[in-house]
């Protein structure tokens, strides 16, 4: 990867399968799966790659970072930038994940 990817240390599901793959020259996808839910963490140096029509809300995190949250068709997404890398977390599951859990994942990035 032409940039440094940091890892999320807080994953609020019972992970049964985990894998990562480079999905293009400048995009890394890490997937955490359990029987009924999955979390995908994206990292890219291509700022603005998310083609979201509109974010539901912007959230100022405790460290001052601005994150963007959206929920569409049973997928919750939060996106933010850190050290010139754009990250996004997609959560899919049988029930919605509390937004606070998504924020905890963002803040666990190191």
């Amino acid at each position: 990867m032409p940039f440094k990817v940091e890892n999320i240390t807080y994953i609020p599901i019972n992970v049964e399968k985990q894998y990562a793959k480079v999905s293009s020259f400048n995009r890394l996808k890490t997937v955490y799966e359990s029987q009924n839910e999955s979390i995908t963490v994206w990292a890219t140096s291509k700022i603005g790659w998310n083609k979201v029509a509109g974010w539901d809300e912007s959230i100022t995190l405790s460290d001052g970072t601005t994150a963007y949250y959206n929920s569409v068709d049973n997928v919750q997404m939060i996106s933010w930038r850190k050290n010139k890398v754009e990250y996004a977390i997609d959560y899919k599951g049988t029930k919605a994940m509390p937004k606070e859990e998504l924020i905890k994942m963002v803040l666990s990035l190191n």
Side-chain angles (χ1 to χ4, degrees):
M1 298 302 304
F3 57 95
K4 182 181 184 305
V5 175
E6 299 181 46
N7 293 312
I8 287 178
T9 57
Y10 177 70
I11 304 293
I13 65 172
N14 181 21
V15 177
E16 296 170 2
K17 184 178 175 188
Q18 174 184 345
Y19 59 92
K21 74 179 203 179
V22 175
S23 63
S24 71
F25 174 69
N26 61 355
R27 192 175 310 153
L28 178 69
K29 167 183 175 178
T30 306
V31 180
Y32 305 89
E33 294 177 336
S34 74
Q35 191 170 351
N36 297 317
E37 51 196 344
S38 70
I39 293 170
T40 303
V41 180
W42 298 91
T44 182
S45 60
K46 186 177 178 188
I47 303 303
W49 70 277
N50 273 330
K51 301 297 182 228
V52 175
W55 293 99
D56 292 343
E57 67 179 291
S58 65
I59 302 165
T60 301
L61 304 175
S62 60
D63 65 359
T65 301
T66 300
Y68 299 93
Y69 173 81
N70 203 9
S71 179
V72 178
D73 298 331
N74 296 328
V75 177
Q76 292 168 269
M77 177 191 281
I78 192 163
S79 179
W80 74 102
R81 291 181 193 159
K82 183 174 181 180
N83 300 329
K84 297 182 181 169
V85 178
E86 186 165 311
Y87 294 91
I89 297 171
D90 296 350
Y91 170 78
K92 296 176 190 167
T94 53
K95 58 185 186 335
M97 177 172 289
K99 199 179 314 170
E100 293 74 26
E101 291 293 293
L102 291 168
I103 292 169
K104 273 181 163 175
M105 283 190 281
V106 171
L107 294 173
S108 78
L109 188 80
N110 62 27

